[in-house]
Amino acid sequence: MNIVILGSGNAATHFAQQFQKRGHQIVQIYSKTKANANALAFALQSAATDDLSQLQPDADLYFIAVSDGAIPTLVSQLASGIKGIVVHCSGATDIAALSRFTNYGVIYPPQSLSKNKSVDFAEIPLCVEGNTTTNAQLLLRLARELSAQSLLCNSPQRMAIHLSAVIVNNFTNILYQMAYELLAENSLPFDLVRPIILETAEKVQNHIPFTVQTGPARRGDEDTIQKHLKFISNKPDLQQIYQLLTQQITKRK
């Protein structure tokens, strides 16, 4: 399959590398910054452009890997007569964003991707959608070349996956940071809680999360909860988060 990559950032880099490893031809890299297009194109021995009017007209796949906010503008600037399948990789962008094309779809990885960190795509379930059954099945076959865990899902399902990924990744990470700050204020290292972070992450690989829930809220230990709230009485934001999460635990008992 001949593929044009639209973007040169983290997702574009990883997907371009993975497609190439599976024997597909990356025929062109587009970026609005020519230097970035050149850098990725050089690594893949491909052509580079910063001019959308110069895109290869006969590629099989046009893979959009730019920020969510940049997708509408990029899509509006692409020729609507593209015959290949136009795909984006956003979790929060509806497939309808590509409806001006004849063939279009989505391949979304619920994973944080960084250029400088290798990723085992075999461990990432790719979420696939196509505007027709034929396109959906073609994209699913392509996705399964990268990951056997790939599956079909519609735009609302993909939004649920994206939101869930934000909760378990971005939200937990800011909680880690708040714990880091609390420990630092008390002259303690974050290393003290790294083992319990790993233990909990390992447990949920094989269990429904609430079945391994622990802590004072799960036990109904109101005395400890009040001690915690008193200890952070000078941190109203943390108090509010603590109370909201405690309520979520206790209501599931």
Side-chain angles (χ1 to χ4, degrees):
M1 183 177 282
N2 290 333
I3 301 174
V4 170
I5 302 291
L6 296 140
S8 58
N10 296 326
T13 298
H14 278 286
F15 271 102
Q17 291 172 340
Q18 293 297 319
F19 288 143
Q20 190 176 72
K21 285 180 181 178
R22 271 66 179 184
H24 299 287
Q25 183 68 35
I26 308 302
V27 295
Q28 194 174 38
I29 303 292
Y30 163 81
S31 174
K32 63 181 181 179
T33 304
K34 186 64 179 293
N36 293 342
N38 284 336
L40 183 54
F42 178 79
L44 299 170
Q45 297 184 326
S46 178
T49 186
D50 60 354
D51 184 351
L52 289 172
S53 70
Q54 298 301 310
L55 288 186
Q56 296 277 354
D58 56 356
D60 302 303
L61 183 74
Y62 294 81
F63 192 86
I64 298 173
V66 297
S67 67
D68 287 10
I71 290 175
T73 299
L74 178 58
V75 166
S76 70
Q77 294 172 345
L78 292 173
S80 60
I82 289 175
K83 291 184 172 56
I85 303 178
V86 182
V87 170
H88 72 63
C89 60
S90 166
T93 303
D94 197 284
I95 190 174
L98 303 175
S99 61
R100 66 191 299 264
F101 306 108
T102 302
N103 300 296
Y104 54 95
V106 181
I107 300 178
Y108 161 61
Q111 177 65 276
S112 294
L113 300 174
S114 175
K115 284 184 184 180
N116 300 319
K117 187 177 186 298
S118 61
V119 174
D120 183 1
F121 265 63
E123 299 297 322
I124 303 173
L126 300 176
C127 306
V128 177
E129 186 174 8
N131 71 309
T132 67
T133 300
T134 298
N135 286 336
Q137 290 300 321
L138 188 154
L139 293 174
L140 183 61
R141 287 195 297 273
L142 175 63
R144 284 180 173 167
E145 291 180 22
L146 279 58
S147 170
Q149 301 183 64
S150 299
L151 72 159
L152 292 174
C153 62
N154 58 34
S155 289
Q157 289 174 322
R158 193 173 67 256
M159 179 66 81
I161 295 167
H162 187 266
L163 177 54
S164 297
V166 167
I167 292 170
V168 302
N169 180 32
N170 307 131
F171 288 177
T172 55
N173 192 68
I174 193 59
L175 291 175
Y176 296 156
Q177 177 61 26
M178 295 175 81
Y180 171 88
E181 293 166 0
L182 185 63
L183 289 166
E185 288 172 8
N186 288 274
S187 302
L188 295 165
F190 189 64
D191 285 347
L192 290 169
V193 295
R194 283 194 165 105
I196 198 170
I197 291 172
L198 290 176
E199 180 189 10
T200 303
E202 289 171 357
K203 284 179 180 177
V204 298
Q205 300 306 309
N206 300 299
H207 297 85
I208 294 172
F210 195 72
T211 64
V212 292
Q213 184 73 53
T214 61
R218 185 71 172 91
R219 297 191 302 270
D221 185 352
E222 188 62 29
D223 184 53
T224 298
I225 291 170
Q226 292 305 315
K227 287 179 181 177
H228 286 169
L229 290 171
K230 182 178 179 180
F231 189 76
I232 56 174
S233 59
N234 63 331
K235 299 177 183 298
D237 288 348
L238 182 55
Q239 266 197 333
Q240 184 178 13
I241 291 169
Y242 185 102
Q243 289 173 316
L244 287 171
L245 294 179
T246 295
Q247 290 170 10
Q248 289 300 310
I249 295 170
T250 55
K251 73 189 295 185
R252 288 172 169 80
K253 291 170 63 175

